């Protein structure tokens, strides 16, 4: 019997991880992925078939756009049958947005799509990039005893933690430990062994074909409340022509000012068809609008709960649903539903 060696497609979009230090000048330069094995010789020891694809030119993830997400989905869809898993090397700054977006775009995904990056370039001595890259590849290729992917999800792997992509947020601009999934436990922890938490990983139908989606509507905004926020500013923002949806970052468990002008502006906006989703400014925990009077007033103004969604996930989910031209009613319903493990509604 011929045993096929595992295969992984590495997609380099840009970001710190793909840089090496020019030994002569000390300057950071973009890494040429055709020479991957030369720079990361450890990969040879895997005995995997590893191919790579690189964005040309590579982009700093601050320049990420839905069109790049569509490009990633196209690459994955095109190569879907030829690889066991996919590793996306991405700048850390907007990695959580890309991971959230891809989780909605890759419907019926049954193979791993692991995003990773690093805080120090792969070509520097103390880099965290090699460990992140090598472990991501191992996770992307990992199969259970039936030959199915152990982690058939879009994930972020960073500094020993494998996290569900649409639950993850960048929390530190300097530490190697730069990402957290506050409202959902890690899917795997990595030490001497990779310890998969199989009960937390999504159960999928491995026979279903991948259904790729590409459309987004970016007529959305995130509005963070703060004490002293002005009527004229909120009013002007919610009347911006073309605006379709707002992620409203409220206080604590979903609370907002009770001032009549504030609730009136929100009510008028929802009456005009603008979808307003309430998430908390706290890093952890969820919105419970029925808990305090302030939250109840928001409900009465037509605001819907985003439960324990991250801002990145609420925003990309709205852009995705709006892009698919669903009715306002359907979008409100889907925002209140868990589509791909992105929220826990709680009791
Ligand atoms: N600015 C870089 C980026 O997000 C930072 C990094 O890669 O970590 O592309």
């Amino acid at each position: 019997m011929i045993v096929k060696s595992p295969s992984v497609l590495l997609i380099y979009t840009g970001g710190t991880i793909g840089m090496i230090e020019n030994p002569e000048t000390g300057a950071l330069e973009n890494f040429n992925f055709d020479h991957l094995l030369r720079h990361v010789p450890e990969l040879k020891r895997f005995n995997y078939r590893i191919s790579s694809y690189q964005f040309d030119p590579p982009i700093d993830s601050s320049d990420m756009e839905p069109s790049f997400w569509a490009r990633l989905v196209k690459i994955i869809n095109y190569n879907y049958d030829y690889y066991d898993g996919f590793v996306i090397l991405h700048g850390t700054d907007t990695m959580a947005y890309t991971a959230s977006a891809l989780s909605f775009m890759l419907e019926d995904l049954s193979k791993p799509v692991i995003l990773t990056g690093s805080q120090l370039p792969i070509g520097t001595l103390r880099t965290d990039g090699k460990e992140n890259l090598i472990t991501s590849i191992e996770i992307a290729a990992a199969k259970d005893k039936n030959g199915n992917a152990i982690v058939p999800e879009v994930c972020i792997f960073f500094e020993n933690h494998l996290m569900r992509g649409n639950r993850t947020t960048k929390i530190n601009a300097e530490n190697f430990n730069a990402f957290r999934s506050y409202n959902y436990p890690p899917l795997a922890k990595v030490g001497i062994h990779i310890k998969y938490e199989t009960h937390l990983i999504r159960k999928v139908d491995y026979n279903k074909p991948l259904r790729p989606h590409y459309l987004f509507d970016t007529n959305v905004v995130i509005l963070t409340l703060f004490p002293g926020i002005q009527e004229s500013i909120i009013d002007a923002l919610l009347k911006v022509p073309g605006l379709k949806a707002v992620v409203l970052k409220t206080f604590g468990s979903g609370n907002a000012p009770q001032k009549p002008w504030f609730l009136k502006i929100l009510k008028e906006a929802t009456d005009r068809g603008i979808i307003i989703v309430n998430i908390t400014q706290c890093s952890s925990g969820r919105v419970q609008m029925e808990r305090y009077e302030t939250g109840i007033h928001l409900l009465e103004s037509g605001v819907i709960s985003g439960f324990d969604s991250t801002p990145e996930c609420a925003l990309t989910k709205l852009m995705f649903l709006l892009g698919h031209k669903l009715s306002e009613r359907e979008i409100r319903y889907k925002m209140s539903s868990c589509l791909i493990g992105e929220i826990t509604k709680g009791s």
Side-chain angles (χ1 to χ4, degrees), residues 15-16 60-61 91-93 118:
T16 302
D60 187 287
S61 80
T92 55
D93 292 345
S118 68

Side-chain angles (χ1 to χ4, degrees), residues 181-323:
S181 164
Y182 283 109
N183 289 328
Y184 198 76
L187 305 184
K189 288 192 194 135
V190 178
I192 294 177
H193 303 288
I194 302 180
K195 194 172 172 308
Y196 293 102
E197 304 292 346
T198 37
H199 63 290
L200 297 171
I201 297 171
R202 274 177 62 76
K203 306 284 169 276
V204 301
D205 180 347
Y206 289 96
N207 296 317
K208 277 196 181 168
L210 179 72
R211 295 195 343 164
H213 300 280
Y214 298 99
L215 303 175
F216 281 89
D217 184 332
T218 53
N219 283 297
V220 295
V221 74
I222 297 180
L223 170 58
T224 304
L225 296 182
F226 55 89
I229 195 163
Q230 280 199 39
E231 177 175 359
S232 56
I233 293 176
I234 300 190
D235 191 43
L237 182 72
L238 293 185
K239 287 190 178 143
V240 166
L243 182 71
K244 293 186 182 147
V246 180
V247 175
L248 184 68
K249 289 179 78 177
T250 57
F251 307 119
S253 51
N255 305 311
Q258 300 198 62
K259 297 183 182 83
W261 65 257
F262 177 74
L263 297 167
K264 182 168 164 278
I265 291 174
L266 293 190
K267 175 86 174 61
E268 282 170 5
T270 58
D271 285 348
R272 290 197 301 277
I274 293 179
I275 296 158
I276 305 181
V277 181
N278 183 358
I279 63 166
T280 175
Q281 293 178 22
C282 300
S283 312
S284 162
R286 71 191 169 94
V287 156
Q288 287 172 280
M289 285 202 279
E290 59 298 332
R291 188 155 167 212
Y292 295 100
E293 211 181 339
T294 56
I296 290 179
H297 288 147
L298 288 181
L299 271 177
E300 288 165 358
S301 306
V303 173
I304 53 177
S305 176
F307 301 95
D308 59 351
S309 181
T310 62
E312 296 89 336
C313 179
L315 189 85
T316 51
K317 186 173 174 181
L318 276 172
M319 292 187 344
F320 175 81
L321 296 174
L322 288 165

Side-chain angles (χ1 to χ4, degrees), residues 327-340:
S327 68
E328 186 198 327
R329 209 166 135 253
E330 276 174 298
I331 295 177
R332 291 173 72 92
Y333 174 74
K334 291 203 178 215
M335 286 307 295
S336 305
S337 312
C338 177
L339 304 183
I340 183 86

Side-chain angles (χ1 to χ4, degrees), residues 119 170-175 178:
Q119 296 284 62
K170 183 172 178 181
I171 51 122
N172 200 305
E174 288 180 6
N175 283 1

